[in-house]
Amino acid sequence: MTRVRRLGAALLGGGTGTVFLLLVLIFAGILAMNPAFFEGPSLMAFLKQAAPLVILAAGQYFVIVSGNFDLSVGALVGAQVVIAARLIDGEESRTLPVLLVMLAFGLAVGLVNGLITTVLKVQSFITTLGMLLVLYGAIRLWTGGAPTGSLSEAFRTPGRLGIENVPLIGQIPWALLIMLAVGAGAILLMRTRFGRVLLASGDNELAAKLSGARVDAVRTSAFVLSGLSATIAGILIGGFAGVSAQVGEGLEFTVITAVVLGGVVLGGGRGTALAAMAGALAIEALFTLFNQMALPATLRPTVQGVIIIAAVAYAARQRSRPGAAAPKSTATATPS
Amino acid sequence: MTTQPALSMRGIDKAFLGVPVLSSVDLTVEPGEVHVLVGENGAGKSTLMKILAGVHSADAGTIELGGRAVSFTHPAQAQNAGVASVFQEFNLLPELTVAENVHLGREPRRRGRIDRRAMNDATATGLADLGVDDLSPTAKVGSLSVAHQQITEIAKALSQGADLICMDEPTAALADAEVALLYRLIERLRERGVAVLYVSHRLREIFDLCDRITILKDGRLVESVATTAITPDQLVTKMVGRRIEAQFPPQSPDTAIAEVRLRIDGGGNDYVDGIDLEVRAGEIVGLAGLQGSGRTEIAEAVFGITPFTRGTIAIDGRDVRISRPRKAIAAGIALVTEDRKAQGLALRQSVKANARLVLDANARVHSRQRPTRIRGILSSLDLVARGDDQEVQFLSGGNQQKVVVAKWLAAEPGVIVLDEPTRGIDVGAKHKMYSVIRSLAAEGLAVLLIASELIEVIGLADRIVVLHDGRIAGELPGGATEQEVMAYATGRRSS
Amino acid sequence: DTPAETPEADASTEKSGDEWFVQAEYDEQLAQRDIAPEGDPNTPWLQAIEPEWVDTTEFKRDGGGATVCFSNASVSNPWRVTGWITMQEQVAVLKEAGEIGEFRSSDAGDDDDQQISDIQAFVDSGECDALIISPSTTATLTPAVETACASGIPVIVFDRGVNTDCATTFIHPIGGYAYGADAAEFLVENLEPGSKVLALRILPGVDVLEHRWAAAQEIFGDSELEILGNEFTGGDAAEIKNIVTQYLQRGDVDGIWMDAGDGAVAAIEAFEDAGKPYPVMAGEDELSFLRKWEETGMTAIAPVYSNFQWRTPVLAATMILKGEQVPSEWVLPQEPITDADLADYLERNADMPSLHYAKFGGEDLPGFPDAWRDR
Amino acid sequence: MKRLNPGNFGTTALIYLALAAVLAVGGIAVAMDGGNLFATANLVDMLTRTSLTGFLAIGMTLVILCRSLDLSVGYVAALSSLVAATTMDGRAANLPLAVGLVLLVSGLIGAANGAIVAFLKVNPFIATLGTGLILKGYLDTEYKGPAGDVPAVFQQFGYTRIAFIPVSAIVMLAVAAAAIWFLRSTRTGHHMYAVGGDVDVARMSGIRTTRVLLTAHVLCGMCAGLAGLLLAARFGTGSAEAYTNLYELDAIAAVVLGGTLLLGGKGGVAGTVAGVAILAVLDTVFNVMQIDPFAKDVLRGAVIIAAVALYARRQLDRTARRPRFAALEGRAS
Ligand SMILES: Nc1ncnc2c1ncn2[C@@H]1O[C@H](COP(=O)(O)OP(=O)(O)OP(=O)(O)O)[C@@H](O)[C@H]1O
Ligand SMILES: Nc1ncnc2c1ncn2[C@@H]1O[C@H](COP(=O)(O)OP(=O)(O)OP(=O)(O)O)[C@@H](O)[C@H]1O
Ligand SMILES: [Mg+2]
Ligand SMILES: [Mg+2]
């Protein structure tokens, strides 16, 4: 009984719950516009499209919850796709080695972001803004301005194909399976010691340090995880649609919005990975709804802006309603 | 002569998250009266004060100031109505100067511009009035000692020329000398007819200072009596609802002071120097000294926060180099820090998450101890919480302190340093903390205890090491007199 | 005809939804498609449609070795990247010949204000013998271009125009209406009446792109095709594939009209992945699309916004500095690639990367093919 | 000698030092390339480039000091340029009306931002990203491209120079001076430091924190309005497209380069002006040296990170406690 009530409160009340409410509302809207959306194949297609953003949201979640930002993920996704195309250059046999190179590159970018933020004490907004510029420029410098080369069929498989001929559903996209694996991984990781220390570090850096936590190390790991998730997202996006000069552009803002929509607090220490990923799903569903409604394309940003503000305001109200000023701390633990 | 009461609160209700914190509380304070509000941690004292200060608004009830009904939705309104407050948590901006903090929100202006000179002058005068001469109005608050920060807070409240001044545990961070200053000041306020509403856990203070006592328990009014009409024992019984026996629990018979567990030889750094110290298994060593004498610095050095740059530390006879907290933890040292909110707890995490933080953060410690025992530790400390999923920010101070202690006990340390473990916690919780400290010693831990209330050090410690100006001024046996300790602490005597 | 009479000049006062449609411009461009340009068809970048030659002796300068300055809007898309390489290769040739001594360029990263500063900096330096400008937005650079003209050096504007006729020459292919019409007419011709067409656009508010769509709307309006919608994609392949996939879930799409070829392949793949028959498709002369077109054998057309126009301005600069006549408005030919010449263009560009433009017109430059291939 | 804002002096001095260093290094690099960075044309270029980012960054400083943020300024500037140009409609007589209207509209958008942050308690990052999106939709729907016509007199604001200093730069510096005065000498300005330092403390000290936050956002919006006026003057028309240039990120970078803490409570407009100048010098140097446009992005990113790392290092040192036995320490080691 209380369990049910607590679940209800969690879903409809507190900051995290808002996203599930929003998700239900959007899906209801889509259902009203087009019941066929919930048939297997189109639902699968939706999930396939949503997978990269959900994966990025998982990565961004780690960074945000530990008290930082990662604005470089969009540029990193773009860079990864361009690197893949240029290095693979249509040769099937190069797929695997290039995937390893991309993995190394993604982890390295995350590591550099993390070290600059933690060791050099540069606020992560600036670190990753700088990284965004560096990646954007460097990758174009390397390819002379526009992507060259092409992707192999094997490279494109995870993003584009799936398990075919499944009854009722048609195709189960590999992207969906990868998304589920990453999602489960993220949720499980937050249940480990690492996850708990990460949360504590985002909440009160000093207390975590004095408890022996390697705050810098876990925060750096969060950036590395974000780099990893951007790499996976890059593989899926590149696989899904191939190379184009604009891949990844603006994704950083979409994904941060998604995570915040999921009730994760910018500044760290609060929010769950599941809700962050649900936020990403909600954003994708919102885009689908706009499409179903045939909302004039130029008006969509306006509606999107209103919904995001409303949802986050609603969540903030839910959080702050009981007990106005939460006891404050004079902690030096601060998001950077 | 029928004067209106300075303050009259009637039927105040307040609930947080649907949990009632105050239920129809009445409070009347007369002009020129020093009125103390007492009660256990979480009784609702601070909440009542914050309602009066306009920080929270009451769910029900009326407030009258000098006979005029008021209702505040913002602290500014309370200030304008003549209510000044010193809150329990520090309410200062470290980046601003003393003068800027004192006048925050009420900066004096000349021709539309902030008049910094007037601000500094007024602050200097205010501080002189307080009898404080070693605090510059232009000093940055972030660089001050805790005591000076508290003095700044008090100066801030006094500078408002209020008719009613509320102070929530103003002496928690003050040493005796400053406490005396404050007493004198309150005396003067009383003479001027200013009403003072005071919150304190220190019994002596209550009886020395106050005219009237209002006792809260679980958010309800127990009684409001004149100080002269009640004895300390009766007061404690009314607050806690049961009798608290002797002030300090006796040493348990099987406590054996054994081998040296912590040994410092010639320890020193930028803040302290020439520290020679030994703590044995089963022994409680008290560190006494005035504010700024370097007690916390020794704790921080032992724990690797600001390590010693000279001298050596040995744990259980083995020399260790402690360059950061992780190393200290690995060596079996625990530190209960003096500021539990800033340094001890991740406030938005659950009780459980906080209690297992040390285990989570330290792999080697982890293997020594199963997290499942944490529940046992928490219940042995009599933690009162709505469950171990409750966020610690919603616990009362005493219970928060228990969570901090629990997190360290989980790591099974050999040496535990307790820096002001009873700061701001109530009589019952203090008593519990005393027994915990005793039982830690009985279990064979070496305990280094720092407490500003001399009586605690004297009552609990087997030996007292007194600091003066960053150096050890002398050593006394447990049970020494306050005069003996103060002689060393003030530098009047040195060994 | 001069740039001053480009539609933007009066469009600013209009407020209606079709503010981008100017009938006279539309009629003119559609007509220009059928006018044979003057000049050698082997060097289309030197051809001109109905040129009005102007005298440039005032700018004549002896001795070659001129300093030519170029204020570039950006190289932020593959079309501009390709053109920029072509221009640099052309400059190399002219440097070799001694006609250009120094070539200075600045890149405004698509920021109008930045480009105004760039132009001002060139003018202030006093060292440019001729100034080439590829404006990032039509209307907003007008004052800066006027200032440049006033400084007395020849000013050459290409690609997008400005609202002033002070430039010595304004170089551009026929234009957006023609582009949009080529694509739309092809769809009308190749689709049954009642067929459904989806329009994929990159951004709103950019004149060259808006003209394409305005022309298409004009033609679709007179046809019996059903326009399912027009969507902005930012040119992002993933976005394009998402959108097309969603439309395909809701029903059939028989034709795709795009205002630029970026991501055309992603649109086609959406049909493949959904197991639907290929649409009738209007893309662009980007090789990725041409190759996909050939591979699938679909019914398609590649309208062209002649990339070879990037060669013309530097050539025009040297002509002007030699006092030779140039057209005041230099309209370059702009012909779509059809099924008939698809194979030819694929062959010619066999070595080129997939985001290269088939009608880049640099095959005869000494840097070919390395400069475009190994950039 | 007037005291600068608490603890600011060190950082501000450091930033001007950094600016001098960038100028010196840039000057040497340009000289080795055979040019002269300090030629009048280049000086004019640097100053011209400071104006636009300058307006935006001054406003941004105010909100960042309050621990807020405004990601919508690029959109506000674009909208303002359109409001200005369409209201002027080529007639000089409409100038006062146009300027007034721009400040009103931009101030109102700022107020909306402030209200969403202060009353609805939406994180400023999301709140202003959201209003930015709302404005984007409006601009895309309502203005398909440039609109309006700016009379020649007003174009002077964008193009005229006094000696070699562009009028726009002079106006920007005047606004900066006003902002410095505002922060130092008015209560509201002073309270911005308090609100950014700790809202709870500020509120409990009797400061109307929502009012302060609202004021900061309104002023920030109006600064973006000024930027929009400058855009209109330079473009001769209004342009919705202007929002694509991510001016907001430039402005934030300039503010942080100027030593203002992104977490609020510390910094000032004097530093911001230097931050803007550093970016402008870099742009000019890159341009004069004909650096590849993509290499520019790389260098810009690297310089921003490096500079902020430098300040961070310095700030760390300054937070250390006063040593009591430092002298002894020296002897011992
Ligand atoms: N903002 C808040 N939100 C939720 N609960 C709160 C809040 N502030 C206080 N509480 C709860 O209200 C109760 C009363 O707290 P209050 O701070 O008034 O106690 P107190 O008597 O001052 O205790 P102490 O002696 O420890 O200071 C406690 O249970 C506390 O946890
Ligand atoms: N004489 C002094 N010279 C320099 N700094 C001082 C001096 N006295 C105190 N301080 C500073 O004041 C602060 C408080 O001192 P400290 O923490 O050592 O006090 P303490 O003895 O631990 O007392 P408590 O724990 O009760 O605060 C420290 O930051 C210390 O550096
Ligand atoms: Mg209290
Ligand atoms: Mg201390």
Side-chain angles (χ1 to χ4, degrees), chain C residues 20 105 111 113 117-118 124, chain D residues 49 144 161 234 247 287:
Chain C
W20 291 104
S105 70
D111 180 344
D113 185 57
S117 295
D118 290 346
D124 288 342
Chain D
R49 284 173 204 270
K144 299 193 169 82
R161 295 165 193 161
R234 283 172 68 78
Y247 289 136
N287 249 30

Side-chain angles (χ1 to χ4, degrees), chain B residues 46 88 168-169:
Chain B
S46 298
Q88 188 170 7
D168 200 346
E169 303 193 37

